[in-house]
Amino acid sequence: MVRLTTNVVALAALLAHDATAQTGSARGSDFLRFGCSQLVVERTDPLVNPGMAPTPHMHQIVGGSSFNITMDPLTIDPPATSKCTSCKMTEDFSNYWTASIYFRSPENGTFKRVPQMANGRLNGTLLEQDGGLTIYYMRPFSGSNKKVTVMKPGFRMLTGDPTLRTKSSGPSAICHRCLSKSERIMGGNGAPCDSSDTAAFPSKPCPGGIRATVIFPSCWDGKNLDSPDHKSHVAYAPGSAALAGDKCPASHPVRIPQVMYEIMYDTSSFADPAYYKGGKQPLVYSTGDPTGYGAHGDYLFGWKDGALQRAMDALGTNCFSETCPVLKMQSGEDLIKCTKQQQVREEIGNTWLKEIPGAPMVQ
Ligand SMILES: *[C@@H]1O[C@H](CO)[C@@H](O)[C@H](O)[C@H]1NC(C)=O
Ligand SMILES: *[C@@H]1O[C@H](CO)[C@@H](O)[C@H](O)[C@H]1NC(C)=O
Ligand SMILES: *[C@@H]1O[C@H](CO)[C@@H](O)[C@H](O)[C@H]1NC(C)=O
């Protein structure tokens, strides 16, 4: 499980000390980071199940309001079709979505959705009221070539596999951090998916919440906006570290910005040690996955004209973390106003449910 490289250690130090990042020190200049509040929580998935409503499992979705059951790149242009975005960066109409987590009561077998919570790193709950995600776009943390080429309109991808129930052999790119009470606000120190994180659900109570991380591949074939499995047009860089340097395989030569999601799940009401007796744990992904290995993330590119390339080119002392003057930003109050009605109207699990929506088998 130990996959630390020097660049990951440097990132760890950075994430641990945001104040250092604010000075624009070497590592701090290597990513853009911002919050997006909840657009909608519903059973749709325009990437894997376009046209289907409801889809088999629940997703929590942020980003441009053009999000829909079908997102045909020939008819939907997110910047043009969206009325608003729930992301801090107003030129970003991309959509980002992940699976919800449910708590299964060991007492009576009913389910409740684990709420998402704000990421305190982004300074202010308003940025992510009602959950939401923290999005990172990263350039190489190592190597001499810091340039990245932004994906093209219509680009989309999936990482992770909802059917997985054992540890995957690839890089450690999707993981869970169990937070103690004192880590609740800042989300814990250390690099994403380092040795304190697990691909599986944590095996102990997490009174400060769970910080889930989803790191996408950093290399693209440069031609296909999508692929039948939504994965093969992109690739992780060679090596075991998910956070990439400047190298890409010949099959996927284009070094794109590496996208990472951080999702904070508020497990504080589900942290009774009794739920964790005898090697059990009570959490289940909306896919019916009680292991955590099936965590996954979906991405649909929707930046306005060249805005992301402009930001990536500006990364350095003038653009880093949450500060990037070459991009336009909206206030936290404004971004949380950008929501959508469910297209599949159903109770998502704010009350106790007999079954997870879609009734996936828990196995
Ligand atoms: C979603 O798609 C439906 C059917 O094509 C359409 O009527 C609706 O306007 C779309 N919504 C948005 C926000 O684009
Ligand atoms: C099921 O158990 C949970 C606690 O685990 C409790 O809060 C809930 O009210 C119970 N529901 C029923 C119908 O008993
Ligand atoms: C956090 O937000 C508060 C209130 O908006 C502001 O006064 C403060 O300067 C911010 N701190 C940082 C580190 O951005």
Side-chain angles (χ1 to χ4, degrees), residues 282-303:
L283 305 178
V284 185
Y285 267 110
S286 57
T287 51
D289 169 22
T291 67
Y293 292 118
H296 61 285
D298 294 85
Y299 175 83
L300 190 142
F301 177 87
W303 282 82

Side-chain angles (χ1 to χ4, degrees), residues 339-358:
T339 58
K340 286 195 69 141
Q341 276 216 330
Q342 279 186 325
Q343 304 198 67
V344 175
R345 298 286 185 94
E346 68 183 338
E347 166 56 48
I348 59 173
N350 295 330
T351 59
W352 293 96
L353 301 175
K354 285 215 176 72
E355 292 175 320
I356 296 174

Side-chain angles (χ1 to χ4, degrees), residues 97-357:
W97 65 99
T98 57
S100 299
I101 294 179
Y102 287 84
F103 166 78
R104 175 169 53 172
S105 161
E107 282 117 50
N108 55 41
T110 61
F111 297 89
K112 200 163 186 187
R113 181 173 179 272
V114 176
Q116 291 163 260
M117 62 180 183
N119 186 341
R121 284 184 197 286
L122 296 173
N123 188 31
T125 53
L126 262 185
L127 289 173
E128 289 194 286
Q129 186 168 303
D130 189 22
L133 307 184
T134 306
I135 307 296
Y136 290 70
Y137 282 91
M138 306 181 283
R139 69 178 185 182
F141 281 99
S142 61
S144 51
N145 186 1
K146 293 272 181 189
K147 269 212 71 90
V148 290
T149 305
V150 165
M151 316 67 146
K152 296 217 161 28
F155 177 93
R156 51 213 49 205
M157 61 181 164
L158 165 73
T159 192
D161 176 355
T163 66
L164 212 61
R165 297 294 179 269
T166 53
K167 188 155 172 37
S168 76
S169 55
S172 192
I174 302 183
C175 60
H176 305 88
R177 168 77 56 96
C178 187
L179 303 173
S180 64
K181 247 190 199 136
S182 65
E183 293 173 315
R184 181 181 165 93
I185 304 296
M186 289 307 281
N189 291 336
C193 299
D194 74 5
S195 56
S196 355
D197 295 7
T198 52
F201 277 128
S203 56
K204 57 174 198 232
C206 306
I210 290 177
R211 182 188 84 185
T213 299
V214 176
I215 305 173
F216 286 81
S218 57
C219 301
W220 177 36
D221 71 10
K223 293 185 204 105
N224 296 295
L225 298 175
D226 195 2
S227 48
D229 63 358
H230 314 293
K231 291 181 179 181
S232 23
H233 59 310
V234 288
Y236 286 96
S240 60
L243 291 178
D246 60 354
K247 300 279 181 294
C248 276
S251 56
H252 297 79
V254 181
R255 177 58 166 93
I256 52 176
Q258 188 163 31
V259 180
M260 178 168 94
Y261 302 171
E262 236 170 42
I263 313 116
M264 305 286 279
Y265 293 95
D266 185 359
T267 48
S268 56
S269 335
F270 311 113
D272 185 337
Y275 301 148
Y276 287 79
K277 285 232 170 82
K280 296 210 162 96
Q281 71 78 36
L283 305 178
V284 185
Y285 267 110
S286 57
T287 51
D289 169 22
T291 67
Y293 292 118
H296 61 285
D298 294 85
Y299 175 83
L300 190 142
F301 177 87
W303 282 82
K304 211 167 172 176
D305 310 313
L308 181 59
Q309 188 70 58
R310 201 187 325 129
M312 292 290 108
D313 291 345
L315 279 180
T317 47
N318 286 327
C319 175
F320 53 92
S321 300
E322 297 85 77
T323 308
C324 193
V326 302
L327 291 177
K328 298 188 190 92
M329 297 183 203
Q330 60 184 335
S331 69
E333 287 86 348
D334 283 339
L335 68 90
I336 64 170
K337 284 187 203 142
C338 186
T339 58
K340 286 195 69 141
Q341 276 216 330
Q342 279 186 325
Q343 304 198 67
V344 175
R345 298 286 185 94
E346 68 183 338
E347 166 56 48
I348 59 173
N350 295 330
T351 59
W352 293 96
L353 301 175
K354 285 215 176 72
E355 292 175 320
I356 296 174

